[in-house]
Amino acid sequence: MFISEAIASQGSVAMQNGSMSGFFIQMILVFAIFYFILIRPQQKKMKEHENMLNAIQPKDEVITGGGIKAKVVKADAETLTVEIAKGVEVVVTRSSIREVISDKK
């Protein structure tokens, strides 16, 4: 009777170790799925947007984050001077630009 209890206790320890390794494998798979479905595409999109912001030059037409269509008059490192109407110029940050539309025409 004592021998069977000892064997049973060793078996339960082995099953616990096996289930823990299975748990870790499942967690790694879940993280990999999240990375390839959510994180990686978002990083790619952010990099493309940053490249678009850095490529803005004067005479480009842009849409700001507030939805205002404007023409870039002057481009500095961090700011852009945009014309939203004839004679009306506004200074905005590069990060507030949502889209460049001059390439689409």
Side-chain angles (χ1 to χ4, degrees):
M1 187 148 125
F2 293 120
I3 295 174
S4 63
E5 290 177 9
I7 293 172
S9 68
Q10 288 177 355
S12 66
V13 170
M15 286 184 59
Q16 287 177 351
N17 288 340
S19 65
M20 288 300 287
S21 64
F23 174 74
F24 286 125
I25 290 172
Q26 288 176 352
M27 292 304 291
I28 290 170
L29 288 175
V30 167
F31 180 75
I33 290 169
F34 274 116
Y35 178 77
F36 285 109
I37 291 177
L38 298 173
I39 298 170
R40 188 171 178 224
Q42 184 64 26
Q43 288 176 340
K44 184 178 178 183
K45 188 175 181 180
M46 286 174 53
K47 186 168 184 136
E48 289 174 358
H49 188 260
E50 184 179 336
N51 290 338
M52 181 214 40
L53 291 178
N54 291 332
I56 295 175
Q57 299 294 324
K59 298 186 181 179
D60 284 345
E61 289 187 13
V62 297
I63 296 179
T64 65
I68 298 172
K69 185 176 177 182
K71 184 175 182 179
V72 178
V73 177
K74 182 180 174 187
D76 294 331
E78 294 294 321
T79 61
L80 301 171
T81 304
V82 296
E83 183 178 40
I84 57 175
K86 288 186 180 183
V88 181
E89 294 182 356
V90 179
V91 178
V92 297
T93 61
R94 282 188 185 264
S95 62
S96 68
I97 302 300
R98 182 176 67 194
E99 183 178 358
V100 177
I101 57 174
S102 58
D103 298 333
K104 296 182 179 181
K105 290 186 177 183

